[in-house]
Amino acid sequence: MSTKELLMGDRSDIPCLDEAAKPTQLSSHEYSANIHPEWSYGTAAHGGYLNTVIMKSVALHFHTTLKQFNQRDAISLHFEYLRPTSLGEVRVNIRELRASKAVSTVNFSLQQNGKERVVGYATYMNRKKARRNGPSVDTQYQLDPPIPPLDVDAIERQEDPNCVFATRPSLPGDPTKSLATIIFALPVKESRDPSYNESWKRLKDSGSRWTPENLGLIFDWQGIPLENYFPDSKETKWQILERQQDWNRNGPPEKPWGWKSPRWYPTLSMSVDIKHGLPAEGEVWLFTRAKIRGMQEGRFDLTVEIWDLHGNLVAVVQQLVGVMDMKNSLSAKMAVDAKKKLDEKIAGTSTIPGYITVLDLSTNTLHELNGTSKPIINPNEAYYFDGKVWIATYPASANETYNGGIISVDPRTLEVETVVNSYFGLPFNFPDDVFWTAKGNDRYLFFTDPFYGFIPYPNNFKTPQLPVGVWRWDPQENLLLPVISRNEIHPNGIRVSPDMKSLYVTDSTPTFLTQTPYSPPIGPAAENWLGPYIYKYDLDEGMFPVNRRVFGLVREGIADGIHVDDDGNVWTAESEGVVVRDPKGRVIGLFNAAYFQGEVAAASGIPIANFALAGDTLVIFGVSSLRTVKLGKAVVSADSVIVN
């Protein structure tokens, strides 16, 4: 098989853009579509893909509900990205703000699970009628430096002297597999000016074209010129060109390449001015140049010009983009709850030691935990007990050998020991949370084992060998047993009460699972068919959990991190913040997530990664910051039996 065939890959089971973004009209003002994984980043929909879904819905609206105005041409659009959109069904609701014979403007709202994800405006007109009635002036405007020439026949043969044929194969488990849907033509003589990235682009499917209705994809499909300014970047335009030339010579990588930058760039808003536009039949190739003017306070502007092969300026796009430096994010370093917060990390196919950062509350300083006796792989949750830190670790990817399980770390000697790593040779699924409890002189270790990694990335993780559930290890008898079955709960966090008589487990059935046929309109607290509850169990004389009952209901998202204070109050990290419930389940406090997350994370809808209780201090791990809150009293004492 030739290098080009390897790069193109088998696309027989991948829908083209027109199919993947096709809306269905539900009523005169409501439309539905399904977000497809091949056009997304992991489980999150790509912004340009959402633009296309919206533009196709708006175009259908003008073809049906507003057909009497005969306005088929978009001239202006504005998008505000309120929160991430995941795989599955979305609804687009449209209402008219102005409907007239000359120009009509509508307001659109893309929603999922009862929440608005993208909102904005679209203005349409009849361009043929406007050409007859309105003046036009050719200002002779051109890009400087000029657009690099493209030989469309030669580039397909990888023989264009001016441009390099660039694409990547669609590989299982690649969180950035949407990049495999586009073919790029990169200028061979890439400018040394770091302020802009440029390329010619076409859809990989040979029968697909850039049309007025799917133009939304290219609005948000640019290399990020900001990467050109960072010395640690592996995603500069010069490195991308060099890497692609190597792939063209020696074949593409066998494993997903992914996104190699420690930074993530969520688009916050976008305004589009359609200039020349496109013919109804579309164009095969379009050129884009994306230029940055500056970054300040974690955000930057990006101006994108789109041109066709005939020298026409098709559209000008102005974006406001956020910057999240995952390298400096405590949640990234600790890999705490990485399964939900950092899809790209989960989807990677290589096993890498995890990042664990130690916070010294006496000096408010951070340092990485280095020098352990062996690497700590894929750390998740941790618990301090009996002079050691006990860590739940999740398995390696499908082509690696690490099984995951529970390890211990002695913070004085940094000695790492494996506690449990299988059940009679069967590996665990995704050990998530861990704690110790005691009765008399006996000690018992409990941990949860869901299979979060396998569900969204079945090609990255080993096929589950064990049912999900809660496990208990009895070191006195050297006995490992499942104590809560998957028939009862899909567990996540787990903790014990101060008197060691009650067990709390959060039910976090993934929202992206296909559930039962139950599918009426639902609000945020009904997104999970089996949750989102916090359950309470009694611990019987043998320290087994019995008598399950509902302790709390989560209003938004799921209850992820969970801790219990010395008074028996239960603290949980939920989408709306850290929620505190008394021992009876009454909500007595909320630390609002929006306050702790910062501008970019709040706008992106990302929940708090995790939190901890330390004396009179609440430590909150936001995605891009670490904050402490001084409480009115110590809630966990230094000699607490349930050190969190």
Side-chain angles (χ1 to χ4, degrees), residues 270-416:
M270 178 186 300
S271 295
V272 182
D273 178 11
I274 306 292
K275 297 294 188 181
H276 187 274
L278 294 175
E281 66 275 13
E283 296 281 357
V284 176
W285 287 94
L286 290 177
F287 174 83
T288 67
R289 179 176 292 172
K291 187 175 180 65
I292 181 176
R293 284 189 290 262
M295 180 182 74
Q296 190 172 11
E297 299 171 349
R299 64 187 188 276
F300 65 92
D301 63 281
L302 193 65
T303 301
V304 183
E305 292 192 20
I306 304 172
W307 294 73
D308 64 20
L309 278 166
H310 314 291
N312 298 310
L313 177 58
V314 175
V316 177
V317 183
Q318 185 67 42
Q319 298 183 33
L320 175 63
V321 185
V323 183
M324 296 186 67
D325 192 337
M326 305 311 291
K327 184 174 61 177
N328 293 328
S329 164
L330 189 68
S331 59
K333 288 181 179 178
M334 294 189 67
V336 175
D337 289 335
K339 61 191 177 299
K340 292 175 285 299
K341 311 304 186 299
L342 299 175
D343 280 338
E344 291 81 5
K345 248 186 174 5
I346 299 171
T349 57
S350 297
T351 300
I352 59 173
Y355 293 93
I356 296 182
T357 298
V358 178
L359 167 64
D360 186 337
L361 286 174
S362 63
T363 61
N364 282 332
T365 57
L366 296 168
H367 67 271
E368 288 189 9
L369 180 64
N370 296 313
T372 54
S373 61
K374 56 184 177 182
I376 298 175
I377 298 174
N378 300 341
N380 211 340
E381 287 276 7
Y383 189 83
Y384 184 82
F385 178 79
D386 197 23
K388 292 184 178 181
V389 178
W390 308 79
I391 303 174
T393 66
Y394 59 84
S397 54
N399 61 339
E400 301 285 356
T401 57
Y402 183 67
N403 282 344
I406 308 299
I407 64 171
S408 67
V409 181
D410 188 323
R412 294 158 298 185
T413 65
L414 298 184
E415 185 71 22
V416 178

Side-chain angles (χ1 to χ4, degrees), residues 214-249:
N214 64 30
L215 196 58
L217 184 70
I218 207 170
F219 293 162
D220 196 29
W221 208 286
Q222 320 304 324
I224 303 296
L226 190 62
E227 283 294 307
N228 301 331
Y229 291 89
F230 290 105
D232 67 340
S233 177
K234 295 182 179 180
E235 298 291 343
T236 69
K237 60 181 179 180
W238 309 289
Q239 290 167 312
I240 293 171
L241 175 63
E242 182 179 348
R243 186 163 63 234
Q244 188 66 53
Q245 289 173 321
D246 177 67
W247 291 356
N248 290 350
R249 288 190 300 266

Side-chain angles (χ1 to χ4, degrees), residues 35-42 49 87 174-175 177-178:
I35 303 304
H36 195 279
E38 294 294 339
W39 293 85
S40 303
Y41 281 167
Y49 177 30
L87 306 182
D174 187 350
K177 55 193 170 185
S178 57

Side-chain angles (χ1 to χ4, degrees), residues 2-76:
S2 69
T3 299
K4 182 180 177 182
E5 289 174 322
L6 290 171
L7 285 166
M8 294 295 285
D10 179 13
R11 302 191 58 77
S12 59
D13 61 341
I14 300 175
C16 66
L17 180 58
D18 284 333
E19 287 298 320
K22 184 178 181 180
T24 299
Q25 187 170 25
L26 303 178
S27 68
S28 62
H29 289 75
E30 186 175 28
Y31 305 82
S32 71
N34 283 296
I35 303 304
H36 195 279
E38 294 294 339
W39 293 85
S40 303
Y41 281 167
T43 60
H46 181 270
Y49 177 30
L50 293 179
N51 292 349
T52 303
V53 170
I54 291 170
M55 290 182 67
K56 283 182 173 291
S57 299
V58 172
L60 183 57
H61 188 71
F62 274 92
H63 277 70
T64 55
T65 304
L66 299 180
K67 63 182 179 181
Q68 71 271 24
F69 295 103
N70 191 27
Q71 295 164 339
R72 307 296 175 88
D73 306 304
I75 61 170
S76 176

